[in-house]
């Protein structure tokens, strides 16, 4: 990838997009196009087509999506299915029509069956029923993967798809109703510490296991794949280790400095019992994550405190 090529980064304000933007800038990529939601509504086919016809980006990074934690996904299947289909269809179609040289589509580990073999290899895709709490989002992402593969097969497009595991880091969503578990627990521990609470309430049973990757590691993997991977077959991007929700809650309390008790809210769903990706394929190509979970959480907590103090999220 040439540093003077034009790159359209869709979703540059999100967790993933903002990390990729920081990385592209620090690596000296000089022609990165970004548009806010107000400037370019990615769910609108006509305005996306116009934008691509004008700008003709050589590289497209599709990091824009409607995302959310277990509760939001479970309660708004229409928005997660339709919103994501619209965004990705518009981006992928326009990238092809305007001759983009390469497109990177970002999926998710929830595309895999609920009871996939663990760690989950790429070949597990469509091998069984999905986890119901995030089925709508997963179906949209599977459709995006298949659309990229269809463009590759029918038109020879170099459209690749990466499947990141659960991500966290700066610019994550810390709203307790819609966030994922890691930012939710960071916020809950911070607030419990500051208010002198005796208990922090965690959803579900604490037994589900999840794998977490710092989003700067994902950005590193995205650059690596843009430079080194030209295959329409999906590729997992994980940290290689998982942890139970109980262990995660304990680790977060330790980092934040909250020493009260953990309570469990059994009325909230556990979701899929385990989600650990098999990342052997990307590892064999020469990419490895660099940020440990403890360091990554500590860095994210510093960012969260700065944001909270400056009146941000
Ligand atoms: P998932 O990976 O799609 O299931 O999404 P989440 O990150 O939202 O949830 C992961 C697991 O963490 C589930 O078992 C949740 O029940 C559990 N969890 C525990 N406490 C919380 C919380 O405060 N917020 C969220 N979102 N999940 C929590």
């Amino acid at each position: 990838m040439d540093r003077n090529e034009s790159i359209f980064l869709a979703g540059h304000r999100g967790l993933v997009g903002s990390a990729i933007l920081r990385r592209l800038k620090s690596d000296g990529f000089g022609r990165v196009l970004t548009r806010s939601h107000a400037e370019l509504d990615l769910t609108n086919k006509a305005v996306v087509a116009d934008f691509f016809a004008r700008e003709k980006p050589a590289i497209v990074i599709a990091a824009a999506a409607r995302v959310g934690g277990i509760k939001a996904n479970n309660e708004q299947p229409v928005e997660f299915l339709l919103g994501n289909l619209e965004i990705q269809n518009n981006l992928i179609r326009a990238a092809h029509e305007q001759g983009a040289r390469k497109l990177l589509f970002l999926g998710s580990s929830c595309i895999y069956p609920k009871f996939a073999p663990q760690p989950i290899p790429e070949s597990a895709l469509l091998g069984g029923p999905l986890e119901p709490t995030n089925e709508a989002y997963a179906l949209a992402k599977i459709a995006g993967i298949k659309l990229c593969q269809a463009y590759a097969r029918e038109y020879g497009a170099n459209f690749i798809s990466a499947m990141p595991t659960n991500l966290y880091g700066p610019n994550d969503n810390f709203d307790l109703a819609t966030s994922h578990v890691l930012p939710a627990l960071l916020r809950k521990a911070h607030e419990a510490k500051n208010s002198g609470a005796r208990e922090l309430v965690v959803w579900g049973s604490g037994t589900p296991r999840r794998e977490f990757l710092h989003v700067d590691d994902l950005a590193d993997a995205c650059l690596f794949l843009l430079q080194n991977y030209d295959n329409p077959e999906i590729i997992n991007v994980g940290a290689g280790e998982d942890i139970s929700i109980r262990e995660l809650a304990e680790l977060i309390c330790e980092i934040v400095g909250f020493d009260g008790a953990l309570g469990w809210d059994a009325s909230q769903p556990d979701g899929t019992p385990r989600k650990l990706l098999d990342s052997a394929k990307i590892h064999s190509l020469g990419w490895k994550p660099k940020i440990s979970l403890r360091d990554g959480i500590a860095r994210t907590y510093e960012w969260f405190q700065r944001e909270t103090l400056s009146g941000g999220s």
Side-chain angles (χ1 to χ4, degrees):
M1 210 163 58
D2 183 328
R3 284 184 169 53
N4 293 316
E5 270 185 312
S6 65
I7 302 172
F8 176 45
L9 173 59
H12 72 287
R13 287 189 170 161
L15 172 67
V16 170
S18 62
I20 296 176
L21 184 59
R22 284 194 296 279
R23 180 57 193 267
L24 288 171
K25 283 186 172 163
S26 73
D27 279 10
F29 288 90
R31 292 180 62 203
V32 184
L33 293 164
T34 58
R35 292 290 182 276
S36 68
H37 183 83
E39 290 165 336
L40 181 66
D41 176 2
L42 295 173
T43 66
N44 184 322
K45 181 181 170 188
V47 302
V48 173
D50 278 357
F51 170 77
F52 271 76
R54 255 191 335 270
E55 302 291 349
K56 297 196 189 317
I59 308 281
V60 177
I61 303 175
R66 176 182 276 266
V67 296
I70 192 164
K71 192 176 166 73
N73 261 284
N74 201 21
E75 292 175 359
Q76 300 171 348
V78 173
E79 287 70 21
F80 279 83
L81 181 54
L82 201 53
N84 284 306
L85 285 172
E86 286 173 339
I87 294 169
Q88 69 205 30
N89 286 348
N90 292 338
L91 286 172
I92 296 167
R93 183 200 292 108
H96 169 68
E97 286 177 356
Q98 298 304 329
R101 181 175 76 69
K102 189 161 185 175
L103 176 142
L104 170 64
F105 177 67
L106 284 149
S108 158
S109 58
C110 72
I111 58 155
Y112 292 114
K114 174 167 184 153
F115 297 111
Q118 303 285 332
I120 313 172
E122 288 86 354
S123 59
L125 181 61
L126 293 174
L130 296 163
E131 154 61 33
T133 53
N134 53 31
E135 189 185 51
Y137 179 77
L139 283 171
K141 288 293 182 185
I142 293 170
I145 294 166
K146 292 292 172 186
L147 187 59
C148 287
Q149 291 177 344
Y151 272 110
R153 186 156 65 88
E154 195 175 332
Y155 299 106
N158 189 4
F159 290 0
I160 63 169
S161 300
M163 298 307 117
T165 193
N166 294 37
L167 301 166
Y168 68 98
N171 296 317
D172 206 344
N173 170 16
F174 285 83
D175 172 349
L176 294 180
T178 54
S179 70
H180 284 102
V181 60
L182 196 152
L185 294 181
L186 254 187
R187 178 180 203 134
K188 286 183 188 177
H190 176 73
E191 289 175 356
K193 180 176 101 173
N194 285 353
S195 69
R198 283 205 219 115
E199 191 188 63
L200 179 163
V201 176
V202 187
W203 293 355
S205 64
T207 57
R209 299 185 69 83
R210 295 286 183 274
E211 177 189 24
F212 297 95
L213 183 72
H214 192 281
V215 73
D216 287 350
D217 270 336
L218 176 72
D220 187 55
C222 289
L223 270 271
F224 177 85
L225 292 171
L226 282 166
Q227 274 149 342
N228 299 294
Y229 188 74
D230 294 315
N231 192 317
E233 292 304 320
I234 60 175
I235 185 159
N236 289 340
V237 186
E241 282 173 18
D242 63 353
I243 176 174
S244 73
I245 297 301
R246 176 186 289 276
E247 289 164 331
L248 176 73
E250 288 167 356
L251 177 61
I252 288 177
C253 288
E254 191 191 318
I255 291 168
V256 169
F258 170 68
D259 52 15
L262 295 178
W264 301 94
D265 178 358
S267 72
Q268 296 289 349
D270 268 344
T272 200
R274 191 173 183 206
K275 230 182 333 181
L276 172 64
L277 292 180
D278 180 343
S279 300
K281 188 161 142 183
I282 192 166
H283 291 174
S284 74
L285 294 175
W287 180 85
K288 291 249 161 33
K290 299 186 183 77
I291 306 169
S292 73
L293 184 58
R294 181 180 285 274
D295 284 355
I297 294 175
R299 278 160 58 168
T300 307
Y301 184 45
E302 281 167 23
W303 179 89
F304 174 74
Q305 286 175 291
R306 278 199 305 276
E307 278 295 292
T308 312
L309 282 176
S310 68
S313 65

